[in-house]
Coordinates of all heavy atoms in Angstrom, one line a residue:
V1 N -8.2 12.2 12.5 CA -6.9 13.0 12.5 C -6.1 12.8 13.8 O -4.9 12.6 13.8 CB -7.1 14.5 12.2 CG1 -5.8 15.3 12.3 CG2 -7.7 14.6 10.7
P2 N -6.7 12.9 15.0 CA -5.9 12.8 16.2 C -5.3 11.4 16.4 O -4.4 11.2 17.3 CB -7.0 13.1 17.4 CG -8.0 13.9 16.7 CD -8.1 13.3 15.3
Y3 N -5.8 10.4 15.7 CA -5.4 9.0 15.9 C -4.4 8.6 14.8 O -4.1 7.4 14.6 CB -6.6 8.1 15.9 CG -7.6 8.4 16.9 CD1 -8.8 9.0 16.6 CD2 -7.3 8.2 18.3 CE1 -9.7 9.4 17.6 CE2 -8.2 8.5 19.3 CZ -9.4 9.1 18.9 OH -10.3 9.4 19.9
Y4 N -3.9 9.6 14.0 CA -2.9 9.2 12.9 C -1.7 8.6 13.5 O -1.0 7.7 12.8 CB -2.5 10.4 12.1 CG -3.6 10.9 11.1 CD1 -3.5 12.0 10.4 CD2 -4.7 10.1 10.8 CE1 -4.4 12.4 9.5 CE2 -5.7 10.5 9.9 CZ -5.5 11.7 9.2 OH -6.5 12.0 8.3
R5 N -1.3 8.9 14.7 CA 0.0 8.4 15.3 C -0.2 6.9 15.6 O 0.9 6.2 15.7 CB 0.3 9.2 16.5 CG 0.7 10.6 16.3 CD 1.4 11.3 17.4 NE 1.8 12.6 17.1 CZ 2.6 13.3 17.9 NH1 3.2 12.8 18.9 NH2 3.0 14.6 17.5
Q6 N -1.4 6.4 15.7 CA -1.6 5.0 16.0 C -1.7 4.2 14.7 O -1.4 3.0 14.6 CB -2.8 4.8 16.8 CG -2.6 5.0 18.3 CD -2.6 6.5 18.7 OE1 -3.3 7.3 18.0 NE2 -1.9 6.8 19.7
I7 N -2.2 4.9 13.6 CA -2.6 4.2 12.4 C -1.4 4.2 11.3 O -1.1 3.2 10.7 CB -3.9 4.8 11.8 CG1 -5.0 4.6 12.8 CG2 -4.2 4.1 10.5 CD1 -6.3 5.3 12.3
L8 N -0.8 5.4 11.2 CA 0.1 5.6 10.1 C 1.5 5.0 10.2 O 2.1 4.9 9.1 CB 0.2 7.1 9.8 CG -1.1 7.8 9.4 CD1 -0.8 9.3 9.0 CD2 -1.8 7.1 8.3
P9 N 2.1 4.7 11.3 CA 3.4 4.1 11.3 C 3.6 2.9 10.5 O 4.6 2.8 9.7 CB 3.7 3.8 12.8 CG 2.9 4.8 13.5 CD 1.6 5.0 12.7
I10 N 2.6 2.0 10.5 CA 2.7 0.8 9.7 C 2.6 1.1 8.2 O 3.3 0.6 7.3 CB 1.7 -0.3 10.1 CG1 1.8 -0.6 11.5 CG2 1.8 -1.5 9.2 CD1 3.1 -1.3 11.9
L11 N 1.8 2.1 7.9 CA 1.6 2.6 6.5 C 2.9 3.2 6.0 O 3.3 3.0 4.8 CB 0.5 3.6 6.4 CG -0.9 3.0 6.1 CD1 -1.4 2.1 7.3 CD2 -1.9 4.1 5.9
N12 N 3.7 3.8 6.8 CA 4.9 4.4 6.4 C 6.0 3.3 6.1 O 6.8 3.5 5.2 CB 5.5 5.3 7.6 CG 6.7 6.0 7.2 OD1 6.9 6.4 6.0 ND2 7.6 6.2 8.1
I13 N 5.9 2.2 6.8 CA 6.8 1.1 6.6 C 6.6 0.4 5.2 O 7.5 0.1 4.4 CB 6.7 0.0 7.7 CG1 7.2 0.6 9.0 CG2 7.5 -1.2 7.4 CD1 7.0 -0.3 10.2
F14 N 5.3 0.2 4.9 CA 4.9 -0.6 3.7 C 4.6 0.3 2.5 O 4.2 -0.2 1.5 CB 3.7 -1.4 4.0 CG 4.0 -2.6 4.8 CD1 3.9 -2.5 6.2 CD2 4.4 -3.8 4.3 CE1 4.2 -3.6 7.0 CE2 4.7 -4.9 5.1 CZ 4.6 -4.8 6.5
K15 N 4.8 1.7 2.6 CA 4.4 2.6 1.6 C 5.1 2.3 0.2 O 4.4 2.4 -0.8 CB 4.7 4.0 2.0 CG 4.2 5.1 1.0 CD 4.4 6.5 1.6 CE 3.8 7.5 0.6 NZ 4.6 7.6 -0.6
N16 N 6.3 1.9 0.3 CA 7.1 1.7 -1.0 C 7.1 0.3 -1.4 O 7.9 -0.1 -2.3 CB 8.5 2.2 -0.8 CG 8.5 3.7 -0.6 OD1 7.8 4.5 -1.2 ND2 9.4 4.2 0.3
M17 N 6.2 -0.6 -0.8 CA 6.2 -2.0 -1.2 C 5.3 -2.2 -2.5 O 4.2 -2.5 -2.4 CB 5.8 -2.8 -0.1 CG 5.8 -4.3 -0.4 SD 5.5 -5.4 1.1 CE 7.0 -5.2 1.9
N18 N 5.9 -1.9 -3.6 CA 5.2 -2.1 -4.9 C 5.9 -3.3 -5.6 O 7.0 -3.5 -5.5 CB 5.3 -0.9 -5.7 CG 4.3 0.2 -5.3 OD1 3.1 -0.1 -5.1 ND2 4.7 1.4 -5.2
V19 N 5.0 -3.9 -6.4 CA 5.5 -5.1 -7.2 C 6.1 -4.5 -8.5 O 5.4 -3.9 -9.3 CB 4.4 -6.1 -7.5 CG1 4.9 -7.2 -8.3 CG2 3.8 -6.6 -6.2
N20 N 7.4 -4.8 -8.7 CA 8.1 -4.4 -10.0 C 8.0 -5.6 -10.9 O 8.9 -6.5 -10.9 CB 9.5 -4.0 -9.7 CG 10.2 -3.4 -10.9 OD1 9.5 -3.3 -12.0 ND2 11.4 -3.1 -10.8
S21 N 7.0 -5.6 -11.8 CA 6.8 -6.7 -12.7 C 7.4 -6.5 -14.1 O 7.2 -7.3 -15.0 CB 5.3 -7.1 -12.8 OG 4.6 -5.9 -13.3
G22 N 8.1 -5.4 -14.2 CA 8.7 -5.1 -15.5 C 7.6 -4.8 -16.6 O 6.7 -4.0 -16.4
D23 N 7.7 -5.5 -17.7 CA 6.7 -5.4 -18.8 C 5.6 -6.4 -18.6 O 4.8 -6.5 -19.5 CB 7.4 -5.5 -20.1 CG 8.1 -6.8 -20.3 OD1 8.2 -7.6 -19.3 OD2 8.5 -7.1 -21.5
G24 N 5.6 -7.1 -17.5 CA 4.5 -8.1 -17.3 C 3.2 -7.4 -16.8 O 3.2 -6.2 -16.6
I25 N 2.2 -8.2 -16.6 CA 0.9 -7.7 -16.2 C 0.8 -8.0 -14.7 O 1.0 -9.1 -14.2 CB -0.2 -8.5 -16.9 CG1 -0.1 -8.2 -18.4 CG2 -1.6 -8.0 -16.4 CD1 -1.2 -8.9 -19.2
D26 N 0.5 -7.0 -13.9 CA 0.3 -7.1 -12.5 C -1.1 -7.2 -12.2 O -1.9 -6.2 -12.1 CB 1.0 -5.9 -11.8 CG 0.9 -6.0 -10.2 OD1 0.6 -7.1 -9.8 OD2 1.1 -5.0 -9.5
Y27 N -1.6 -8.4 -11.9 CA -3.0 -8.6 -11.7 C -3.5 -8.2 -10.3 O -4.7 -8.0 -10.1 CB -3.4 -10.1 -11.9 CG -3.2 -10.6 -13.3 CD1 -2.1 -11.2 -13.7 CD2 -4.2 -10.3 -14.3 CE1 -2.0 -11.7 -15.0 CE2 -4.1 -10.8 -15.6 CZ -3.0 -11.4 -16.0 OH -2.8 -11.8 -17.3
S28 N -2.6 -7.9 -9.4 CA -2.9 -7.4 -8.1 C -3.5 -6.0 -8.2 O -4.3 -5.6 -7.3 CB -1.7 -7.4 -7.2 OG -0.7 -6.5 -7.6
Q29 N -3.2 -5.3 -9.2 CA -3.8 -3.9 -9.4 C -5.3 -4.1 -9.7 O -6.1 -3.3 -9.2 CB -3.1 -3.2 -10.5 CG -1.7 -2.8 -10.1 CD -1.1 -2.0 -11.3 OE1 -1.6 -2.0 -12.4 NE2 0.1 -1.4 -11.0
Q30 N -5.7 -5.1 -10.5 CA -7.1 -5.3 -10.8 C -7.9 -5.7 -9.5 O -9.0 -5.3 -9.3 CB -7.3 -6.3 -11.9 CG -6.6 -5.9 -13.2 CD -6.7 -6.9 -14.3 OE1 -7.4 -8.0 -14.1 NE2 -6.1 -6.7 -15.4
K31 N -7.2 -6.6 -8.7 CA -7.9 -7.1 -7.5 C -7.7 -6.1 -6.3 O -8.2 -6.3 -5.2 CB -7.2 -8.4 -7.1 CG -7.4 -9.5 -8.2 CD -6.6 -10.8 -7.7 CE -6.7 -11.8 -8.8 NZ -5.9 -13.0 -8.4
R32 N -7.0 -5.0 -6.6 CA -6.7 -4.0 -5.5 C -6.0 -4.7 -4.3 O -6.4 -4.6 -3.2 CB -7.9 -3.3 -5.1 CG -8.6 -2.5 -6.2 CD -9.8 -1.7 -5.7 NE -9.3 -0.6 -4.9 CZ -9.8 -0.3 -3.7 NH1 -10.8 -1.0 -3.2 NH2 -9.4 0.7 -3.0
E33 N -4.9 -5.4 -4.6 CA -4.1 -6.1 -3.6 C -2.7 -5.6 -3.5 O -1.9 -6.2 -2.9 CB -4.2 -7.6 -3.8 CG -5.6 -8.2 -3.6 CD -5.6 -9.7 -3.9 OE1 -4.5 -10.2 -4.4 OE2 -6.6 -10.3 -3.7
N34 N -2.4 -4.5 -4.3 CA -1.1 -4.0 -4.2 C -0.9 -3.0 -3.0 O -1.6 -2.0 -3.0 CB -0.8 -3.2 -5.5 CG 0.7 -2.9 -5.7 OD1 1.5 -2.9 -4.7 ND2 1.2 -2.8 -6.9
I35 N -0.1 -3.4 -2.1 CA -0.1 -2.6 -0.8 C 0.3 -1.2 -1.0 O -0.3 -0.2 -0.5 CB 0.9 -3.3 0.2 CG1 0.3 -4.7 0.6 CG2 1.0 -2.5 1.5 CD1 1.2 -5.4 1.6
G36 N 1.3 -0.9 -1.9 CA 1.8 0.4 -2.1 C 0.7 1.3 -2.6 O 0.6 2.5 -2.2
D37 N 0.0 0.8 -3.6 CA -1.1 1.6 -4.2 C -2.2 1.8 -3.3 O -2.8 2.9 -3.2 CB -1.6 0.9 -5.5 CG -0.6 0.9 -6.6 OD1 0.4 1.7 -6.5 OD2 -0.7 0.0 -7.5
L38 N -2.6 0.8 -2.5 CA -3.6 1.0 -1.5 C -3.3 2.0 -0.4 O -4.1 2.8 0.0 CB -4.0 -0.4 -0.9 CG -4.9 -1.3 -1.7 CD1 -5.0 -2.7 -1.0 CD2 -6.2 -0.7 -1.8
I39 N -2.0 2.0 0.0 CA -1.6 3.0 1.0 C -1.7 4.4 0.5 O -2.2 5.3 1.1 CB -0.2 2.6 1.5 CG1 -0.2 1.3 2.4 CG2 0.4 3.8 2.3 CD1 1.1 0.9 2.8

């Protein structure tokens, strides 16, 4: 917890970076490579 100020700023930048694949299949969710979901 005391080190959140060093770790979380980058997470705040990439938090909304999700892949909008429409009605397609996003295989990155199966591989757990979607940055927004991981954050």
Side-chain angles (χ1 to χ4, degrees):
V1 174
Y3 303 104
Y4 282 173
R5 295 196 177 192
Q6 281 78 31
I7 300 175
L8 298 187
I10 302 298
L11 273 61
N12 186 35
I13 295 175
F14 288 90
K15 183 176 183 293
N16 295 322
M17 182 170 285
N18 281 313
V19 179
N20 186 5
S21 57
D23 59 349
I25 300 175
D26 184 13
Y27 292 98
S28 65
Q29 292 181 346
Q30 299 177 3
K31 301 176 183 178
R32 298 187 69 230
E33 295 177 353
N34 194 337
I35 295 182
D37 293 342
L38 278 175
I39 290 177

